[in-house]
Amino acid sequence: IVATYMATKPQLAVHIGCERLEHTLNTFPAHSAPVAAAHNEIAATLVALDDLEGAEKEFRQAFDMFVEIGHVGSTAFTTANNLGYTYFRMADEKMPPKLKKQRYSLLRFKLPPECVELLENASDMFHFVIEHRHDADIKVVADALNNLGTVCLYRGRFFQACESITASLQATRGIFSDEHPDRASALHNL
């Protein structure tokens, strides 16, 4: 239902997500997988509305809850990947325009501390997925590897970026064609 309203009535989608969370809280224990999933759904809606700070809060709450209850499965990995990407987008938005133009150049530049912290948070989330790759869906792992590679590019760690993006491409070889959006993104980053 939430996805149906995202394109036409995004504020209604947020409202429905919040109502669903309230219903879930009345039905399940406060620290349960369904409650964490409801927070995750609200976060995804907030990302679509470009409310990254709100999304970060909801993704963080969902991720922490999944880990706390020991529900480290596909939804937790997707949440970690989405949280990492949200941190990455927040860092990108906070980056001064002059640095944005240089971000992929071979020139080293000093990132503002708030960007460094957000990029480190993003790396932590991507590493969480990669470290648990044997339990995660290959697509989520490949996304995490590609996203980590992008963070490394921003940090000027080109060798690490190349390794991570190449691993992403290897993970999806034979699963997706080169025209698939995930592989195309990784090929572009490489």
Side-chain angles (χ1 to χ4, degrees):
I1 294 174
V2 172
T4 304
Y5 288 111
M6 274 309 302
T8 58
K9 299 177 182 176
Q11 294 301 332
L12 180 59
V14 172
H15 178 72
I16 292 170
C18 290
E19 284 185 348
R20 184 175 293 169
L21 174 60
E22 185 177 327
H23 171 74
T24 304
L25 283 168
N26 289 331
T27 309
F28 296 96
H31 285 79
S32 63
V35 172
H39 282 289
N40 191 47
E41 186 174 296
I42 291 170
T45 305
L46 293 171
V47 166
L49 294 171
D50 283 328
D51 179 359
L52 299 179
E53 283 78 18
E56 183 269 336
K57 177 183 167 210
E58 294 292 333
F59 278 137
R60 172 50 70 184
Q61 194 165 355
F63 176 75
D64 289 346
M65 195 176 298
F66 280 131
V67 170
E68 180 182 318
I69 64 174
H71 185 81
V72 183
S74 63
T75 309
F77 299 129
T78 300
T79 300
N81 206 21
N82 289 339
L83 177 57
Y85 189 69
T86 301
Y87 284 133
F88 172 78
R89 285 192 51 201
M90 291 169 71
D92 186 61
E93 284 187 359
K94 292 180 186 297
M95 192 178 295
K98 182 179 177 184
L99 291 181
K100 278 188 179 189
K101 291 179 184 177
Q102 298 175 335
R103 66 182 165 215
Y104 295 123
S105 74
L106 294 176
L107 301 173
R108 289 273 182 170
F109 54 86
K110 184 168 176 62
L111 290 171
E114 61 186 354
C115 291
V116 171
E117 181 179 349
L118 288 165
L119 291 172
E120 286 175 0
N121 290 343
S123 291
D124 290 345
M125 291 294 103
F126 301 140
H127 279 293
F128 175 83
V129 175
I130 295 163
E131 288 167 8
H132 292 87
R133 67 183 161 273
H134 301 293
D135 300 319
D137 179 80
I138 192 66
K139 182 190 178 310
V140 175
V141 174
D143 284 346
L145 286 162
N146 185 39
N147 291 338
L148 179 61
T150 304
V151 169
C152 291
L153 285 173
Y154 267 58
R155 301 294 308 274
R157 299 174 180 162
F158 301 110
F159 182 75
Q160 290 170 316
C162 187
E163 282 184 331
S164 185
I165 295 166
T166 300
S168 172
L169 288 167
Q170 288 173 341
T172 58
R173 182 179 294 135
I175 298 172
F176 301 129
S177 72
D178 287 348
E179 290 78 30
H180 186 278
D182 293 342
R183 281 190 61 87
S185 172
L187 287 166
H188 171 77
N189 288 339
L190 192 58

